[in-house]
């Protein structure tokens, strides 16, 4: 495998120096990477036509983008929502005792077992057979968790034009069912050298976010959680393809007139080594660009109230993870990550994104955050404050 990887790496180096791109056409075709795609890489929304292969090259260079191929008419239309409503998010905690009680149930052995299973698939690449299998496993896992609920909780597949489906878990609100509070993460993984050929354990990216949310959901269900607003857990497919799964989900929500009042994305919650190696205190990275500032203030309140580590503001750039799909559809969203961006996991998108590099204490901190976020917002009366 080493020599194979080396060969692939040399090809990647060659790719960036090749003047005639057509040299790569046959290889792209053989690997199924020659599809033409339409992407957007910055807030000026200039459409760019690229092949799948070129998309990988951009990602390797750290460029984030929306792949809007399947949503081009909506994305470039005049009436795309530009105003994101402002809501009266809580400015103090009201469910301190409940949340602190729930926090005592966080089980690190559980976090470990779920992440071990998720990262054991050859790859969770969205267009692969194993990516479909991992989605089926996650679906059954979610069904087994909600099985303990005293009231009905829906676990549904959200299908796309590729193999791996997204999953949506819905705990319907008893008083304000139309106000939807979303907790998101992405279930797919990728290997940026050759996604169709190489292993992609994706333990941190984003197995850790999935694991964080699975554990929070398990604890909420077993406590008999019955919120007044609707609370949903989303497990998106194809984030690594350019936010494809979440774009499908949130454009569908927008078309159906659904009212998402808050969306919190968690993408990478487990790696802390580089932070510690630099002599920096363990912390949560709170993204402050391309997010909703009011919701982000509330997220900071949750960290101050329910975690034992502090937060630091950091930037991630345009279209960095699935929260961007929510915001683009006019839904307020926030994004938290394992640390300040400069200390995040350097092994992602490769065969080395493995579980042994992660801290389950750190993942447990993000589970605390989800418990605080869902309970405080689950019993909140939302009002728009900008109209
Ligand atoms: C929250 O609850 C904990 C114990 O459950 C208590 O020690 C703490 O003082 C409370 N904080 C607030 C702000 O009420
Ligand atoms: C369901 O509840 C039972 C009884 O309390 C418990 O033993 C089991 O672990 C729970 N299942 C899950 C998935 O939490
Ligand atoms: Zn990710």
């Amino acid at each position: 495998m080493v020599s194979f990887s080396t060969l692939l790496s040399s090809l990647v180096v060659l790719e960036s120096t090749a003047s005639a791109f057509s040299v790569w056409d046959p290889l792209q075709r053989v690997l199924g990477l020659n599809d033409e795609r339409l992407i957007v890489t910055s807030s000026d929304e200039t459409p760019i036509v690229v092949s799948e292969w070129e998309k990988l090259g951009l990602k390797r260079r750290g460029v984030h983008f929306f792949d809007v191929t399947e949503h081009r008419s909506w994305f470039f239309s005049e009436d795309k929502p530009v105003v994101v409503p402002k809501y009266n998010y809580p400015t103090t905690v009201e469910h301190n005792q409940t949340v602190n009680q729930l926090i005592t149930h966080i089980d690190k052995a559980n976090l470990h077992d779920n992440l071990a299973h998720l990262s054991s698939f050859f790859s969770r690449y969205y267009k692969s057979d194993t990516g479909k299998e991992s989605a089926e496993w996650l679906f059954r896992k979610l069904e087994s968790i909600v099985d303990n609920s005293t009231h009905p909780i829906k676990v549904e597949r959200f299908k796309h034009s590729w193999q791996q489906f997204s999953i949506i878990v819905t705990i319907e609100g008893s008083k304000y069912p139309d106000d939807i509070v979303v907790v998101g993460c992405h279930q797919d993984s990728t290997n940026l050298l050759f996604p169709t050929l190489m292993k992609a354990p994706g333990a941190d990216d984003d197995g850790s976010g999935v694991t964080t949310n699975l554990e929070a959901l398990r604890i909420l269900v077993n406590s008999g959680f019955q919120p007044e607003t609707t609370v949903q857990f989303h497990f998106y497919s194809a984030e690594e393809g350019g936010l494809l799964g979440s774009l499908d989900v949130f454009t569908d929500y927008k078309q159906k007139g659904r009212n998402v009042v808050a969306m919190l994305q968690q993408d990478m919650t487990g790696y802390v080594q580089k932070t510690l190696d630099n002599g920096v205190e363990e912390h949560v990275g709170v993204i402050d660009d391309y997010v909703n500032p009011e919701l982000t203030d509330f997220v900071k309140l949750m960290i101050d109230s329910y975690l034992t580590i502090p937060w630091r503001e950091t930037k991630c750039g345009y279209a960095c993870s699935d929260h961007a799909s929510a915001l683009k559809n006019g839904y307020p969203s926030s994004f938290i990550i394992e640390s300040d961006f400069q200390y995040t996991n350097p092994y992602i998108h490769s065969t080395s994104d493995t579980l042994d590099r992660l801290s389950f204490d750190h993942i447990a901190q993000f589970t605390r955050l989800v418990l605080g976020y869902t309970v405080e917002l689950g019993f909140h009366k939302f009002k728009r404050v900008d109209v």
Side-chain angles (χ1 to χ4, degrees):
M1 206 58 194
V2 168
S3 57
F4 181 54
S5 302
T6 312
L7 168 70
L8 296 180
S9 310
S10 344
L11 285 175
V12 169
V13 173
L14 270 173
E15 171 214 5
S16 53
T17 55
S19 51
F21 203 82
S22 59
V23 168
W24 294 95
D25 286 355
L27 183 59
Q28 290 183 45
R29 249 191 307 282
V30 168
L31 295 174
L33 296 172
N34 61 326
D35 282 9
E36 197 165 90
R37 309 293 303 185
L38 191 68
I39 65 165
V40 172
T41 61
S42 69
S43 54
D44 68 14
E45 299 191 348
T46 310
I48 307 171
V49 179
V50 292
S51 68
E52 276 288 343
W53 174 267
E54 291 169 294
K55 260 171 64 173
L56 293 175
L58 285 171
K59 269 189 92 87
R60 279 194 293 267
R61 294 200 291 279
V63 178
H64 302 291
F65 51 82
F66 283 106
D67 180 332
V68 298
T69 311
E70 294 183 29
H71 297 287
R72 59 180 85 197
S73 56
W74 160 77
F75 199 90
F76 299 107
S77 79
E78 293 290 311
D79 56 346
K80 178 158 56 69
V82 283
V83 178
V84 178
K86 286 188 172 49
Y87 291 101
N88 61 333
Y89 298 109
T91 52
T92 55
V93 298
E94 299 215 335
H95 303 277
N96 182 26
Q97 283 185 348
T98 308
V99 175
N100 281 316
Q101 175 56 31
L102 294 177
I103 283 172
T104 65
H105 294 281
I106 297 174
D107 181 346
K108 278 188 273 177
N110 229 342
L111 292 173
H112 179 278
D113 291 352
N114 286 335
L115 190 50
H117 206 117
L118 274 166
S119 54
S120 71
F121 292 93
F122 180 78
S123 169
R124 302 190 305 276
Y125 185 55
Y126 66 104
K127 290 192 278 193
S128 69
D129 290 344
T130 54
K132 174 88 188 311
E133 284 162 27
S134 65
E136 294 290 359
W137 176 80
L138 184 56
F139 188 84
R140 286 193 305 274
K141 181 81 204 171
L142 287 163
E143 281 190 326
S144 78
I145 289 174
V146 308
D147 229 28
N148 267 4
S149 178
T150 47
H151 51 281
I153 298 179
K154 275 184 285 184
V155 181
E156 294 169 298
R157 291 179 172 80
F158 187 106
K159 299 217 167 119
H160 305 286
S161 64
W162 55 90
Q163 288 199 66
Q164 184 188 63
F165 48 87
S166 295
I167 306 175
I168 295 179
V169 178
T170 305
I171 310 175
E172 187 161 296
S174 59
K175 205 163 170 184
Y176 314 110
D178 293 340
D179 292 344
I180 307 175
V181 173
V182 174
V183 189
C185 56
H186 71 89
Q187 56 169 296
D188 63 311
S189 69
T190 192
N191 185 309
L192 285 186
L193 279 182
F194 281 99
T196 48
L197 297 178
M198 291 180 72
K199 208 170 153 70
D204 196 23
D205 187 9
D206 182 21
S208 59
V210 172
T211 301
T212 301
N213 289 343
L214 280 176
E215 182 63 358
L217 180 64
R218 182 190 71 83
I219 293 167
L220 289 169
V221 167
N222 288 340
S223 76
F225 181 57
Q226 202 153 18
E228 294 181 348
T229 63
T230 292
V231 173
Q232 289 191 334
F233 283 75
H234 290 187
F235 301 85
Y236 308 110
S237 171
E239 189 269 353
E240 302 289 3
L243 318 181
L244 290 162
S246 57
L247 264 181
D248 275 3
V249 169
F250 286 110
T251 50
D252 179 68
Y253 274 35
K254 192 75 211 172
Q255 274 157 17
K256 291 180 172 150
R258 297 227 167 115
N259 189 36
V260 175
V261 288
M263 187 275 181
L264 173 66
Q265 173 75 354
Q266 307 199 87
D267 189 351
M268 299 160 61
T269 65
Y271 181 81
V272 70
Q273 198 55 50
K274 203 165 160 186
T275 301
L276 302 178
D277 287 350
N278 280 280
V280 175
E281 183 187 12
E282 182 176 344
H283 60 274
V284 172
V286 176
I287 306 295
D288 68 359
D289 58 342
Y290 301 100
V291 295
N292 177 255
E294 291 79 18
L295 179 59
T296 301
D297 282 344
F298 169 74
V299 169
K300 290 172 183 168
L301 171 70
M302 292 297 94
I303 297 172
D304 290 338
S305 307
Y306 294 125
L307 276 62
T308 61
I309 56 175
W311 48 266
R312 287 189 173 209
E313 285 185 341
T314 187
K315 296 193 191 309
C316 193
Y318 183 76
C320 185
S321 190
D322 296 307
H323 61 292
S325 301
L327 203 64
K328 204 49 110 178
N329 279 284
Y331 298 131
S333 64
S334 283
F335 176 28
I336 53 166
I337 189 163
E338 55 208 11
S339 65
D340 188 324
F341 215 72
Q342 62 179 315
Y343 306 127
T344 56
N345 195 330
Y347 303 102
I348 59 165
H349 304 152
S350 80
T351 54
S352 305
D353 183 5
T354 49
L355 167 148
D356 53 298
R357 299 180 199 277
L358 306 185
S359 157
F360 289 94
D361 285 321
H362 202 57
I363 297 178
Q365 293 286 340
F366 289 78
T367 310
R368 287 170 171 251
L369 175 51
V370 178
L371 292 171
Y373 170 91
T374 49
V375 173
E376 297 290 347
L377 294 187
F379 296 94
H380 184 64
K381 187 171 172 26
F382 282 90
K383 272 200 223 81
R384 271 187 78 160
V385 293
D386 59 334
V387 287

